[in-house]
Amino acid sequence: MTSTTVDTRARTYRAHARPFWRRALLSREAAIIGILLLVVLVSLATVRNFSSPLTVTYLLRDVAPILLIALPMTLIIITEEIDLSVASVVGLSSVVVGVLTRDGWPFEIAALLAIAVGLVAGALNGFLVTVVGLPSLAVTIGTLALFRGIAVGLLGTEAVTEFPETWTDLAKANIPGTPLPLIMIPFAILAIVFAVLLHLTPFGRSLYAIGLNKETAAFSGIDVARTKFALFLLSGTVSGFAGVYFTLLYSNARGENAMGMELQVIAAVLLGGVSIFGGRGALHGVIAGVLLIGTLGSALRLAGVTSDIINVITGLLLVLSVVSASLLAWLHTRRAAAIGKRKGSRPLAPASTV
């Protein structure tokens, strides 16, 4: 009994045994930020026109939907779940806002209804996962096809391209005096809200607890089902908002919009240090992961590299991020086991010394 108690304490406090600066700098998130800075510096020195303000503008416009969707996706994966339907929700909300606008609805109402459609899509995912008890991977693969099928069915091969210029200009506008797109303001607000929610509240701590062991989390008083349901609602709502922005940015509503974006989102989240097995991750690493993939793709396109090669490089980054995380976890477990075997059982320390 004594030995078990000591081992549990060791596992609990080992992550905080090192100084804070080492925990902050010697981490996957810090490594991704460092790689991002390195890619930016190399691109500035070697890629023509990369330093242009237009490059920054188009880069951030392109990754804005991914940045938005990555926020709730981070929380979902931390709980050891996944949502593969996000890109289909983007496409469905794009079609909804396009069809309603074409039929004479005020754009503001059409946009709100499109976001509401995203909320309903998230609620369906959450219901099937938390109430019915189906695996999120299977559920969201199914709803990926369902939502995309509805989107394509509503418009067929047609596209809606007429939207109020006031809104399309706003979607393409920059923050005055900067090359930063205006969409970065709502993204920054959402990022702060999600960061506070994840890292500074009991709700955020409950997400990590669920990801580490949902049975233990339930016994400790956390409502696992309700928490996960809320996350799928957030994912659907943010994806619906991203769909409205996507439509305005490209002045195009089609059923095929954002096809494949879910893979970009998941790749960025995992690259940013979130564990696919749940229980680990930080939002700043995810944002750096999105920007790294976007910056690398932008630099390679400017250098004349084809999109197929860029997709291969992105896939390799995803595989390497998952493999490296698993390898580090295995090495950490082996090291901890070796230390425990070498030290053996020790008497339980007095409570006042912990």
Side-chain angles (χ1 to χ4, degrees):
M1 176 67 73
T2 300
S3 175
T4 302
T5 306
V6 172
D7 289 345
T8 302
R9 284 183 178 175
R11 288 194 299 270
T12 303
Y13 294 105
R14 184 178 293 118
H16 299 277
R18 297 179 298 167
F20 174 77
W21 68 270
R22 290 188 63 187
R23 283 185 275 133
L25 297 179
L26 302 180
S27 64
R28 283 177 58 85
E29 292 80 12
I32 294 301
I33 293 173
I35 295 172
L36 170 61
L37 294 175
L38 180 63
V39 169
V40 170
L41 292 175
V42 171
S43 300
L44 288 171
T46 61
V47 179
R48 186 179 178 182
N49 295 326
F50 186 81
S51 60
S52 168
L54 280 177
T55 300
V56 176
T57 299
Y58 285 115
L59 166 63
L60 292 178
R61 281 182 189 173
D62 288 342
V63 301
I66 300 173
L67 282 169
L68 289 167
I69 299 170
L71 297 176
M73 184 68 79
T74 299
L75 275 58
I76 288 175
I77 295 181
I78 283 175
T79 62
E80 206 180 0
E81 301 291 352
I82 199 165
D83 186 355
L84 294 174
S85 69
V86 287
S88 295
V89 176
V90 171
L92 180 56
S93 66
S94 174
V95 166
V96 169
V97 75
V99 168
L100 292 178
T101 303
R102 182 194 63 186
D103 292 346
W105 290 62
F107 177 81
E108 295 81 1
I109 296 177
L112 289 175
L113 289 175
I115 295 172
V117 166
L119 174 66
V120 172
L124 176 61
N125 284 334
F127 174 80
L128 293 175
V129 172
T130 64
V131 178
V132 180
L134 300 176
S136 59
L137 178 63
V139 166
T140 56
I141 286 176
T143 54
L144 176 154
L146 172 64
F147 300 149
R148 184 68 68 181
I150 295 173
V152 173
L154 286 173
L155 269 181
T157 58
E158 299 178 17
V160 179
T161 58
E162 297 294 329
F163 296 96
E165 288 188 9
T166 302
W167 286 100
T168 55
D169 291 344
L170 190 64
K172 299 171 186 176
N174 288 352
I175 299 172
T178 74
L180 303 179
L182 204 59
I183 189 63
M184 288 297 105
I185 293 178
F187 164 72
I189 295 171
L190 284 175
I192 291 171
V193 170
F194 274 85
V196 171
L197 191 66
L198 178 61
H199 298 296
L200 300 177
T201 66
F203 179 80
R205 290 191 289 273
S206 71
L207 301 184
Y208 289 104
I210 293 170
L212 290 170
N213 192 312
K214 63 181 180 182
E215 288 80 13
T216 303
F219 279 120
S220 66
I222 297 172
D223 192 328
V224 176
R226 182 179 296 178
T227 301
K228 289 183 178 181
F229 186 81
L231 296 184
F232 281 104
L233 285 180
L234 284 174
S235 180
T237 304
V238 173
S239 297
F241 174 72
V244 174
Y245 170 73
F246 191 99
T247 305
L248 291 175
L249 179 63
Y250 298 106
S251 298
N252 193 321
R254 295 189 308 143
E256 295 85 3
N257 277 356
M259 189 171 287
M261 185 181 287
E262 66 278 349
L263 299 180
Q264 295 175 284
V265 173
I266 294 170
V269 172
L270 298 183
L271 183 63
V274 178
S275 172
I276 191 65
F277 304 109
R280 189 193 184 286
L283 215 53
H284 62 282
V286 171
I287 294 172
V290 175
L291 294 177
L292 174 59
I293 292 177
T295 301
L296 192 60
S298 178
L300 292 173
R301 279 192 294 271
L302 288 173
V305 178
T306 64
S307 59
D308 291 336
I309 300 298
I310 294 173
N311 290 335
V312 169
I313 293 173
T314 302
L316 286 174
L317 283 174
L318 175 58
V319 171
L320 288 174
S321 66
V322 174
V323 170
S324 64
S326 299
L327 180 61
L328 289 173
W330 179 77
L331 290 174
H332 181 76
T333 302
R334 289 290 300 271
R335 180 174 176 272
I339 292 174
K341 185 176 181 181
R342 186 166 60 247
K343 290 183 177 180
S345 298
R346 294 184 301 176
L348 179 63
S352 61
T353 64
V354 176

